[in-house]
Amino acid sequence: MSLRRLLIASLLYHARAHAAVALCVATGSAVLTGALLVGDSMRGSLRELVLERLGRIDHALVAPGLFRRALADDVRTELARAGHGGAVRVEPAMLLHGSIARIDANGREGTRVGKVDILGVTPGFWALGPSGASPDVAAVWHGDGGSEAVSLNEKLANDLGVRAGDTVLVRTEKPSAIPREAVLGRKDDAVLTRRLTVGSIVPAGALGNFALEPNQHAPRNAYVTLDALAVAVGAPGRANAIFIAGGADRPGASAPGPAPDPAAHAASPQAALARAIRLDDLGLRLRIDPARGTMSLESSRMVLVPAAGSAALEAASDLDLGVAPTLTYLANAIERLAPDGDRLGKSIPYSTVAALPVDAEPPLGPLALESGAPVFVLADDEILLNRWAADDLDAHAGDRIELSYFAAESSVPFATEQAVFRLRGVVAMQGVADDPGLVPDYPGITNAKHYADWDPPFPMDLRRVRPKDETYWDEHRGTPKAFVSLAAGERIWGSRFGRWTSVRVALPASESPVSGPGTALGSARGHAEQRGGDDPADALKDRFEHALLGHLAPEQMGLVFQPVKAQGLAASQGATDFAELFLAFSFFLIAAAVILIALVFRLAVERRAKEPGLLLAVGFDRAQVRNLLLAEGLVTATLGSLIGSAVGVLYTAAMLRGLGTWWLPAVGTSRLTLHVAPLSLAIGFFSGLMLALLAIAGTVRRLSRTTPRALLAGSVSDAAGWVPARAAWSRRIGWACLAVAAGGSAVATLGRLHPATFFLVGSCLLVGALFLLYAGMAGVAGGMVRGHGVAATLRLGVRNGGRHRGRSALTAGLVAFATFVIVAVAANRREALQDAADKRSGSGGFALVAECDPPLLHDLNARAGRRELGFPASADAAFEGVAIFPVRLRPGEDASCLNLYKPTRPRLLGVSPALIVRGVFWLDESFEV
């Protein structure tokens, strides 16, 4: 009979035994395939969420400040010029953060939900959704509710328990050009509150779950019209976000820096933005004073960011114009001190002090003493007073002058600091020393008629203002009364917001020789004449703006188009590879399946040991018998792997359902769908097949060493082929594994126990113990069993285990693997708040963490700070024994294990020195920025 016929006959005759082996193979293959498909399904589901949330949006810009709403139209025009035509859609928006509370039938505030994104959008925004415009949503903006309506997404509506027609209270931050934590930042007008009617509930498939940052958790979104939101926050015609769909999908086209393809870069959204941007979009303005022959670059932030100041210097150099950086600051008091430092009671309230280059060329300088001598050098500890201030203080050269002012940057609001200077001399009130334009425009102060009309964002005592101060204000407005060197001003008033309040540029006088055809103003005059006689100063202003924007990239001011869709799809690959994770979790099942395959196949062969023995006895050689058994194993393993691959799909579906229900807090979304990748099916099939064949080949190899006589007798004992050297090698390997485990344990006791160290030590202990068990069974295989009862039965079991060392070791390993996994998981299970008080825990030892959208500018640890924030006196008891540490947060992507996406721009925390001294968290690595 041929081997093929023998194979078919053996498979049919021992069908039940092969079915048991196939079941074990199918289990291992199903687990392998399922683990791979879970990874594919997680990645596919995350990808679908990205496409649903962004719709057709490819690029997005969210600026730190407000810009012209028309900038979106300008960017669209520039993209059309670059060849995109009508394929691109550009929509402006306003994106703010806030909270929403439900208003019950009695008009009282009920459930409140925070971390809400308030979006002011145009009707065209809905056309950016996955399926185009949604009539139901678009009707909200033009329906009965008009601009007083708000639409909520399903997540927010469910959290609030509201539906269309209900009333909600919307609170959102009000954008501020000047940072609220700055001295001149408005701190009492940070929140906008509006009572609105819920117009509709926006479904997830219609941009209801719109979000720019990749996260599987459903966002809380509220939508209003852009016009209504802009007017409500006091910024009509402004926006802070732009969304682009279509026509700009080149990978990396909008990334900052040089592009490898000039044509692609020219057609990118960032390049279009650079061509369309204006100074107004960057919060900058140019103010011309033709009478003084100067032009000043100022910022709506009151302080120029360093990039803008540097660009102004470069632009002035390009046009061959004189330039002078200037820093003007408000002194609460200018006081003359006695030589010994005592106060003399002479003080000037609320006066500006200018820090500037004292040796600048006309018309920017120089400062000159009353004697007419110019001041070319001013030491950092020297100060100049104008004649009015010197007379008021009765000050003379050499006197000590103290400036009292609010700290430019302090954790304590309105902290006061002092700086003492030596009076260099008195300057004449003419030229730059009599220029109120040194003070940037600040609504509520520079346009006030009297001191009493000031509307400052800082505390002010009007009782200190004297009639002579009012007279000075009437005649000279905010003209500085004192001057220090630019270096001194930067040292005491410079901050992270910037170092200068303006950059003054000299305009050559039209009647001077320097205004000829070869000069900046001469070129401007020629350009103005070509345009029809426009003012040469305005023409020069246009040229300077063009030169300035040539040196100031939008990304330097925080205006960057991000390829949000490409970033989201890349992040959907996941921070954690779920295929690897589930393979690790399924390691016990896979190992158990391999062990069971070896045991079941061996038992099946042992039951039919006479058959291979008979084949050997009648003339078949060992290779033929071994190939016959391997062929049986191959057919059985192939059938089992095929079944396992099919079962793996069902296993994956069950796992996804469990992740979306039972384990929902761990993954954060129930919207997980099955994705079957052919490659994963193939890998699962062949991996299961190879593992099964390896287990079967090991069994066949051992059986092929047994003599025909023993096989005919039905004996397949390990003892038949036992080699003493095998026990020695098993002992060496076992002791080596235990030594590695002991070393790992010793290292772990010196520091923090890393999870990898834990599993390394545990695995070495497990493997080492199994090898020593296998070697130790060699001495218990023989001998007589005497006696009776339980003791004899136990001795008989030990002896039988020694006879079948391989089977016994595999069985012990099966139980050991299960025990190890159960103990390891249980040992690492911890309650969320179990270690909340531990400073080195994940919570840093804090039981409560709170976030707010507008910055907290007052100290919650102090009663005065709590009063400023609206806490009543009755709440003081709740703060007893409680320490609150402020932290500055820069928004970004969640980098914790709760975010399934791979973060690329994580949130950053800025901690206070007090928090560092306290000592929190465990840092594996540290670095400096």
Side-chain angles (χ1 to χ4, degrees):
M1 180 180 293
S2 65
L3 287 177
R4 180 180 299 177
R5 293 182 177 180
L6 281 175
L7 174 62
I8 296 173
S10 178
L11 290 172
L12 295 176
Y13 186 76
H14 301 289
R16 294 203 311 183
H18 288 295
V21 176
L23 179 62
C24 297
V25 175
T27 301
S29 180
V31 173
L32 278 168
T33 303
L36 295 174
L37 290 181
V38 166
D40 292 335
S41 299
M42 293 297 294
R43 287 189 291 270
S45 299
L46 295 180
R47 179 184 177 88
E48 289 176 349
L49 286 177
V50 169
L51 297 177
E52 176 190 87
R53 295 185 178 186
L54 293 176
R56 299 169 53 204
I57 297 174
D58 297 310
H59 293 79
L61 177 150
V62 179
L66 299 178
F67 49 76
R68 296 174 300 117
R69 175 177 172 174
L71 178 61
D73 297 328
D74 295 344
V75 170
R76 182 189 300 110
T77 301
E78 292 297 334
L79 288 174
R81 290 176 179 172
H84 290 299
V88 61
R89 292 188 64 97
V90 184
E91 296 294 335
M94 185 174 289
L95 178 58
L96 303 178
H97 307 287
S99 64
I100 295 184
R102 177 182 181 179
I103 303 299
D104 59 22
N106 298 322
R108 292 175 297 186
E109 185 175 336
T111 304
R112 180 189 294 184
V113 174
K115 291 188 176 181
V116 177
D117 289 333
I118 314 293
L119 289 100
V121 298
T122 62
F125 170 79
W126 305 107
L128 305 180
S131 57
S134 172
D136 293 338
V137 175
V140 173
W141 317 127
H142 308 287
D144 296 335
S147 62
E148 297 300 321
V150 60
S151 286
L152 312 179
N153 71 343
E154 295 174 343
K155 169 67 174 175
L156 180 55
N158 292 335
D159 290 348
L160 289 171
V162 299
R163 57 188 178 183
D166 289 344
T167 302
V168 295
L169 192 66
V170 179
R171 293 184 177 91
T172 182
E173 58 176 329
K174 293 181 65 175
S176 174
I178 304 176
R180 301 192 189 281
E181 56 268 42
V183 173
L184 293 179
R186 295 285 180 183
K187 303 167 180 58
D188 55 352
D189 190 25
V191 179
L192 168 71
T193 303
R194 285 289 187 275
R195 183 174 297 212
L196 303 175
T197 301
V198 178
S200 68
I201 308 300
V202 186
L207 291 180
N209 282 351
F210 170 79
L212 296 177
E213 296 174 354
N215 195 300
Q216 76 280 6
H217 298 276
R220 299 183 179 97
N221 292 342
Y223 304 86
V224 296
T225 58
L226 175 56
D227 291 336
L229 185 58
V231 171
V233 299
R238 313 293 283 186
N240 70 348
I242 298 177
F243 306 131
I244 297 181
D249 53 357
R250 294 177 177 85
S254 65
D261 183 0
H265 175 68
S268 69
Q270 194 65 28
L273 175 67
R275 295 191 296 270
I277 203 77
R278 298 182 186 176
L279 289 184
D280 184 25
D281 301 318
L282 303 176
L284 302 174
R285 60 179 177 266
L286 285 172
R287 182 158 55 102
I288 293 182
D289 187 347
R292 297 182 181 275
T294 61
M295 177 173 59
S296 297
L297 175 68
E298 299 172 355
S299 172
S300 59
R301 296 166 54 97
M302 294 302 296
V303 178
L304 291 172
V305 299
S310 299
L313 299 183
E314 294 174 353
S317 176
D318 292 345
L319 299 178
D320 195 22
L321 298 174
V323 64
T326 304
L327 173 58
T328 304
Y329 206 79
L330 180 68
N332 297 330
I334 303 176
E335 186 171 359
R336 182 168 70 91
L337 303 178
D340 58 0
D342 291 342
R343 300 187 181 279
L344 300 176
K346 291 183 175 294
S347 174
I348 305 175
Y350 307 116
S351 305
T352 58
V353 180
L356 43 73
V358 296
D359 58 344
E361 295 292 331
L364 305 176
L367 289 175
L369 301 176
E370 287 186 320
S371 62
V375 181
F376 293 111
V377 178
L378 191 64
D380 290 351
D381 63 342
E382 292 180 333
I383 192 171
L384 297 171
L385 296 179
N386 67 9
R387 170 47 61 190
W388 188 95
D391 290 342
D392 190 29
L393 296 177
D394 191 19
H396 304 278
D399 286 347
R400 301 181 64 186
I401 305 299
E402 181 188 75
L403 301 182
S404 178
Y405 51 88
F406 291 125
E409 194 167 13
S410 174
S411 58
V412 180
F414 308 123
T416 302
E417 295 180 349
Q418 291 79 31
V420 178
F421 297 86
R422 181 175 57 84
L423 181 59
R424 169 73 176 275
V426 179
V427 296
M429 293 187 63
Q430 59 186 12
V432 68
D434 189 25
D435 185 1
L438 293 175
V439 181
D441 287 333
Y442 186 90
I445 295 182
T446 54
N447 59 345
K449 292 184 178 181
H450 308 284
Y451 272 98
D453 299 328
W454 278 26
D455 181 24
F458 49 81
M460 180 177 177
D461 186 2
L462 290 176
R463 294 173 299 179
R464 297 176 53 208
V465 179
R466 305 160 300 174
K468 62 169 60 177
D469 298 320
E470 288 283 9
T471 301
Y472 185 92
W473 181 262
D474 292 340
E475 296 176 355
H476 304 283
R477 310 302 294 171
T479 301
K481 298 172 183 174
F483 302 88
V484 297
S485 68
L486 184 61
E490 291 176 343
R491 174 173 52 83
I492 60 178
W493 297 319
S495 67
R496 59 188 173 89
F497 305 114
R499 299 175 300 162
W500 306 331
T501 53
S502 65
V503 172
R504 294 180 297 125
V505 180
L507 301 179
S510 59
E511 66 275 6
S512 68
V514 296
S515 62
T519 63
L521 193 60
S523 300
R525 179 177 293 103
H527 181 65
E529 292 174 353
Q530 294 177 4
R531 296 193 307 170
D534 291 347
D535 186 353
D538 290 338
L540 183 59
K541 175 183 176 183
D542 293 340
R543 294 189 60 214
F544 184 82
E545 178 176 350
H546 180 75
L548 176 62
L549 292 176
H551 292 285
L552 185 61
E555 51 264 33
Q556 292 179 286
M557 302 294 288
L559 278 73
V560 182
F561 272 108
Q562 297 289 347
V564 289
K565 182 172 290 184
Q567 292 174 347
L569 294 178
S572 66
Q573 298 301 311
T576 300
D577 191 330
F578 271 78
E580 295 180 0
L581 183 65
F582 273 79
L583 282 174
F585 284 160
S586 305
F587 175 74
F588 161 69
L589 288 176
I590 298 172
V594 174
I595 293 174
L596 284 175
I597 292 170
L599 288 175
V600 173
F601 189 80
R602 180 165 184 169
L603 288 174
V605 174
E606 285 182 354
R607 292 184 59 186
R608 42 181 285 217
K610 294 181 180 180
E611 295 179 12
L614 181 61
L615 290 176
L616 290 173
V618 298
F620 287 87
D621 59 26
R622 291 183 179 274
Q624 291 176 311
V625 175
R626 183 171 60 248
N627 292 339
L628 175 63
L629 295 176
L630 287 175
E632 290 184 24
L634 175 62
V635 173
T636 303
T638 301
L639 180 61
S641 292
L642 286 173
I643 297 173
S645 297
V647 174
V649 176
L650 301 177
Y651 168 79
T652 303
M655 290 299 297
L656 292 177
R657 183 168 181 81
L659 288 172
T661 52
W662 298 334
W663 301 308
L664 181 59
V667 297
T669 180
S670 60
R671 304 185 61 186
L672 301 176
T673 56
L674 178 64
H675 290 73
V676 180
L679 180 60
S680 295
L681 285 176
I683 294 176
F685 169 78
F686 286 108
S687 298
L689 179 62
M690 293 305 299
L691 288 176
L693 289 179
L694 288 175
I696 291 172
T699 301
V700 171
R701 180 172 176 271
R702 291 177 180 274
L703 294 176
S704 64
R705 295 178 178 178
T706 307
T707 62
R709 178 179 178 183
L711 291 173
L712 289 172
S715 174
V716 194
S717 174
D718 286 347
W722 175 253
V723 179
R726 230 181 261 170
W729 274 109
S730 296
R731 290 191 185 93
R732 290 171 189 157
I733 295 175
W735 286 115
C737 289
L738 294 182
V740 172
S745 300
V747 171
T749 57
L750 301 178
R752 186 187 179 200
L753 179 60
H754 195 275
T757 306
F758 171 81
F759 281 100
L760 174 64
V761 172
S763 300
C764 288
L765 284 173
L766 175 61
V767 174
L770 288 176
F771 270 101
L772 291 178
L773 174 65
Y774 182 82
M777 287 181 179
V780 299
M784 298 290 293
V785 176
R786 304 180 183 278
H788 59 278
V790 176
T793 304
L794 292 176
R795 285 195 293 271
L796 180 62
V798 171
R799 179 184 171 187
N800 191 54
R803 285 186 64 246
H804 302 281
R805 287 178 297 278
R807 184 192 308 169
S808 300
L810 289 176
T811 304
L814 191 65
V815 177
F817 272 114
T819 305
F820 175 72
V821 171
I822 294 173
V823 171
V825 172
N828 286 277
R829 183 178 182 274
R830 309 181 74 172
E831 295 293 335
L833 298 178
Q834 182 178 0
D835 57 353
D838 185 0
K839 294 181 182 180
R840 298 167 66 177
S841 68
S843 66
F846 297 106
L848 296 174
V849 177
E851 292 184 22
C852 63
D853 293 312
L856 286 178
L857 304 176
H858 301 279
D859 186 8
L860 280 169
N861 294 299
R863 288 188 177 90
R866 294 194 290 269
R867 297 297 176 273
E868 292 289 343
L869 292 171
F871 286 92
S874 58
D876 289 344
F879 287 89
E880 293 296 331
V882 176
I884 300 175
F885 294 87
V887 176
R888 186 180 299 277
L889 171 65
R890 194 198 77 172
E893 300 166 16
D894 182 8
S896 72
C897 59
L898 299 179
N899 187 8
L900 301 182
Y901 288 89
K902 184 177 181 180
T904 56
R905 292 172 295 160
R907 306 197 309 170
L908 295 180
L909 296 179
V911 299
S912 62
L915 192 60
I916 298 176
V917 171
R918 176 182 181 270
V920 293
F921 308 113
W922 180 280
L923 299 178
D924 288 332
E925 297 181 10
S926 61
F927 62 93
E928 294 183 358
V929 178

